[in-house]
Amino acid sequence: MQRILGSVRFLGLVGLLAMVNATLANSEEPQVSRVLTQHEQEALTPEEVSQLLRTGNQRFMSGTLTSRDHSAQVRDAAGGQFPKAIVLSCVDSRVPVEDVFDLGIGDIFVARVAGNFENVDSLGSMEFATKISGAKLILVLGHEDCGAVKAAIDRAQLGNITAMLENIKPAVEALSSYKGDQTSANPEFVHLVAEKNIRLSMNDIRKRSPILKGMETQGQIKIVGALYDMKTGRVEFLE
Ligand SMILES: [Zn+2]
């Protein structure tokens, strides 16, 4: 009984401290109420943007997200947008792209398709984001336990899904020499295909868009890939 009472007292103290901390954090840190300006966007290098995404993900993992006044940001962004990056992500509901990088309104463009592969529409969106709108980074963001990757591995067939999965098939075929269970029941194989799919998407972006390839060669943008692990919240950037 005494032990239970002790636990209650301990949890009570921890809860109280958490509340005090939250109150202090709220009162000491002003909420972000403005969005990135054109001048700020222009001053950023592709490497700096890459670094900002990494440190943002560290804040997401540690639960120290930036406090934002979304209503004020919406009003501030109404005059124009100057995002620092475009992310090509899967549609998975467990991958909230802005959140995993601790970013808000006006910070990034996000293109989404199940299996985060590029196509003519997303390539056009990337060219718009970088060449026209000044973004400095293209990030292909895959994730662990991806349903689209698993379906491609298992050669699922249904309606338009069949044609969509053709885009992920090259990643599965690239691993045909994998020694082991080549089904979606094998997490290691699913991980390897997801990673290969990201790398192939990055290569295809360079191959199919002379504009983006040229901007990368001239150092105006960087094209990078990363894999999000929803168990830890960590975004692992591929080298
Ligand atoms: Zn997915």
Side-chain angles (χ1 to χ4, degrees), residues 90 92 115 143 146-148:
C90 181
D92 197 296
H143 68 99
C146 179

Side-chain angles (χ1 to χ4, degrees), residues 90-92 94-95 113-116 143-149:
C90 181
V91 296
D92 197 296
R94 302 164 296 175
V95 189
V113 64
N116 45 269
H143 68 99
E144 302 286 7
D145 197 37
C146 179
V149 166

Side-chain angles (χ1 to χ4, degrees), residues 116-221:
N116 45 269
F117 55 83
E118 97 305 329
N119 61 18
V120 67
D121 303 303
S122 59
L123 284 175
S125 303
M126 288 177 212
E127 289 171 1
F128 171 76
T130 54
K131 192 77 178 175
I132 309 295
S133 294
K136 304 291 176 69
L137 189 84
I138 294 174
L139 168 63
V140 180
L141 180 66
H143 68 99
E144 302 286 7
D145 197 37
C146 179
V149 166
K150 286 178 171 180
I153 289 171
D154 293 340
R155 294 171 179 77
Q157 298 204 331
L158 179 69
N160 289 293
I161 296 174
T162 309
M164 183 189 76
L165 294 179
E166 284 296 309
N167 295 285
I168 308 172
K169 218 165 128 186
V172 182
E173 287 169 351
L175 284 155
S176 60
S177 61
Y178 173 80
K179 306 254 182 292
D181 180 16
Q182 293 187 20
T183 73
S184 65
N186 180 357
E188 184 188 56
F189 189 63
V190 175
H191 165 82
L192 291 173
V193 173
E195 191 179 313
K196 177 59 82 177
N197 185 45
I198 294 166
R199 292 190 192 280
L200 291 180
S201 289
M202 290 163 63
N203 287 345
D204 285 345
I205 289 168
R206 295 181 179 112
K207 247 191 277 175
R208 295 176 184 165
S209 171
I211 288 180
L212 298 174
K213 167 83 179 156
M215 289 183 81
E216 185 185 39
T217 306
Q218 288 166 24
Q220 295 168 340
I221 60 165

